[in-house]
Amino acid sequence: MTQTQPTVHVVGAGPAGLMAAETLATAGMVVVVHDHMPSVGRKLLMAGRGGLNLTHSEPVEAFTGRYGAAAPQVAGWLEAFSAADLIAWAEGLGQPTFTGSSGRVFPRAMKASPLLRAWLGRLEGLGVQIRTRSRLIGMGDGVLTFRTPDGERTERPGGVVLALGGASWPRLGSDGGWTAMLEAQGVAVSPLRPANMGVDVAWSDILADRFAGQPLKPVALTHDGVTVRGEAMVTRYGLEGGAVYALSGALREAVAKEGSTTLVLDLRPDLTIDALAERLSRPRGKDSATNWLRKAAGLSPVAVGLLREIPGDLPTGADKLARRIKAVRLNVTGVQGLDRAISSAGGVRLEAVDAGLMLTALPGVVVAGEMLDWEAPTGGYLLQADMASGVVAARTLTGWMASQTMVKTPE
């Protein structure tokens, strides 16, 4: 008698799906990857336009804390595939990395395409088959149904990895269309919501026309007692940028609950109120208010513009003006939608999977990546958890399949 190795089907060819495919193939599995787009890794390539932030170098405890309510579960993923593991993996693909001054880790090439090409080459060498334009449209009783250019196709795999993504940037492939399918199978799914998105502020026409696209740096943003330092960008609709994204989950929930919320900007986070007041107490001379604030307080024109957005005249006393500069209160009235969000929250609830990311309602089906209900700020935390979850899901499925009775055929 000979044993036939069952095939694992991975649905979704983003970072989580491809990492699961690599882990499974390395373990000796026969792997087929499906993606409904004409090519794979489109969102990874988009991320690479900004340098492809792979991970972060901060200590594990701080790193894990970036995942908020999901931190206990994500901690297990990071134990299985750490930042050091991801760096070693990238360098094993011939993509050396470096750590920037912010602690973020990037490939030296500062783009995704060389890494993706090398990765796909490795997968091909492992025998992984990738089928593009193959969209999952149904599942049940151990059967997967795909829509392909050649019509519908059914598969009965030995195991399944679902890595279908969330719903951010849907034109790149992740449209959240899988939610109803899984709910019909008894899987608990939270509504998909934007994460790492810009927020809406009702600027005056003058500020929007003059300063949209201008950066605010350095700046500190505070919401509900949490302060983040970094950069922000003024847009016509409000604010976006890394510091905004770090608070975006809390801002989103506050707006959903209350209708609006207050975001406080410190335009000179590197100076104390007293130090700033001392500078502002110097004689103004013949300078205009804008030039004086630029020289004395070190404010950019866009920062001065923000000060003027507050109703009423600027305070005349140095101390009061310093306090205004250190605490510009903005009324956030909304957040940008999924079509403009960097990532998404919601998805398959973590209580719907076991510690190894297998669906309790569907034994033999594991879930990885952004379709799970977790979120994190930008800075390397998104890609790290995506890929780590792919490793965990693949290892779980490998063990589960080993525990099942292998199909035997006559010699």
Side-chain angles (χ1 to χ4, degrees):
M1 303 289 286
T2 60
Q3 292 183 335
T4 301
Q5 182 76 301
T7 300
V8 178
H9 285 251
V10 178
V11 189
L18 293 180
M19 182 55 74
E22 178 179 338
T23 305
L24 288 160
T26 301
M29 298 289 178
V30 178
V31 182
V32 178
V33 178
H34 300 261
D35 199 281
H36 74 97
M37 299 297 284
S39 59
V40 305
R42 291 193 169 198
K43 198 169 178 182
L44 183 68
L45 292 173
M46 172 67 80
R49 293 184 180 182
L52 190 63
N53 187 186
L54 294 171
T55 186
H56 203 286
S57 62
E58 70 184 357
V60 173
E61 185 174 334
F63 200 123
T64 304
R66 303 291 185 174
Y67 298 93
Q73 290 86 352
V74 178
W77 310 350
L78 300 183
E79 287 180 10
F81 190 73
S82 67
D85 293 329
L86 197 159
I87 291 168
W89 169 84
E91 295 188 345
L93 288 173
Q95 299 301 308
T97 64
F98 73 95
T99 302
S101 59
S102 65
R104 299 183 179 195
V105 179
F106 301 88
R108 290 198 180 277
M110 289 296 287
K111 53 186 178 180
S113 52
L115 184 145
L116 182 59
R117 284 195 299 270
W119 197 1
L120 294 176
R122 174 183 286 177
L123 292 173
E124 183 180 7
L126 289 168
V128 174
Q129 180 185 157
I130 296 179
R131 299 177 184 171
T132 55
R133 295 186 173 90
S134 180
R135 186 182 188 104
L136 180 67
I137 58 173
M139 59 186 301
D141 298 323
V143 175
L144 303 180
T145 303
F146 296 90
R147 182 187 300 120
T148 77
D150 300 319
E152 288 189 8
R153 178 171 180 167
T154 59
E155 303 284 352
R156 186 178 290 276
V160 177
V161 179
L162 297 179
L164 293 158
S168 61
W169 287 97
R171 65 184 179 84
L172 299 179
S174 299
D175 57 14
W178 49 266
T179 55
M181 187 189 315
L182 285 189
E183 287 177 324
Q185 297 292 315
V187 177
V189 179
S190 295
L192 293 167
R193 309 180 303 282
N196 289 300
M197 67 291 174
V199 298
D200 300 336
V201 180
W203 302 131
S204 66
D205 290 340
I206 293 174
L207 187 133
D209 290 342
R210 185 173 179 185
F211 295 115
Q214 301 256 347
L216 287 164
K217 58 180 182 179
V219 69
L221 276 61
T222 300
H223 176 259
D224 197 23
V226 178
T227 299
V228 176
R229 290 186 60 151
E231 295 186 10
M233 179 78 71
V234 173
T235 67
R236 295 200 67 86
Y237 63 77
L239 286 174
E240 62 184 28
V244 179
Y245 302 152
L247 296 170
S248 61
L251 290 166
R252 178 192 65 226
E253 298 307 311
V255 169
K257 183 178 180 180
E258 304 293 339
S260 65
T261 191
T262 299
L263 180 64
V264 181
L265 275 65
D266 180 349
L267 298 174
R268 285 306 309 266
D270 51 335
L271 291 176
T272 66
I273 290 175
D274 289 343
L276 186 55
E278 192 279 327
R279 293 186 179 201
L280 292 169
S281 65
R282 299 169 188 170
R284 173 174 165 178
K286 296 182 179 180
D287 284 329
S288 66
T290 297
N291 280 338
W292 175 60
L293 288 169
R294 176 178 60 82
K295 293 177 182 178
L299 298 183
S300 64
V302 63
V304 176
L306 283 180
L307 285 177
R308 295 187 182 281
E309 285 289 285
I310 301 173
D313 296 330
L314 291 175
T316 55
D319 184 71
K320 289 184 178 180
L321 182 54
R323 291 180 184 278
R324 173 73 61 85
I325 292 169
K326 297 283 290 179
V328 178
R329 298 173 65 85
L330 300 179
N331 185 38
V332 175
T333 58
V335 299
Q336 292 292 289
L338 282 163
D339 59 332
R340 293 187 60 86
I342 291 176
S343 59
S344 60
V348 175
R349 296 181 185 175
L350 294 177
E351 59 265 31
V353 296
D354 63 19
L357 301 181
M358 183 170 288
L359 289 168
T360 54
L362 298 171
V365 180
V366 292
V367 182
E370 200 176 329
M371 67 183 294
L372 287 159
D373 188 7
W374 61 276
E375 61 181 306
T378 57
Y381 310 105
L382 293 168
L383 188 56
Q384 175 71 58
D386 263 342
M387 298 177 78
S389 69
V391 170
V392 170
R395 289 177 180 172
T396 297
L397 192 58
T398 299
W400 182 85
M401 291 176 67
S403 71
Q404 306 302 299
T405 302
M406 302 296 290
V407 177
K408 296 185 177 182
T409 57
E411 292 183 346

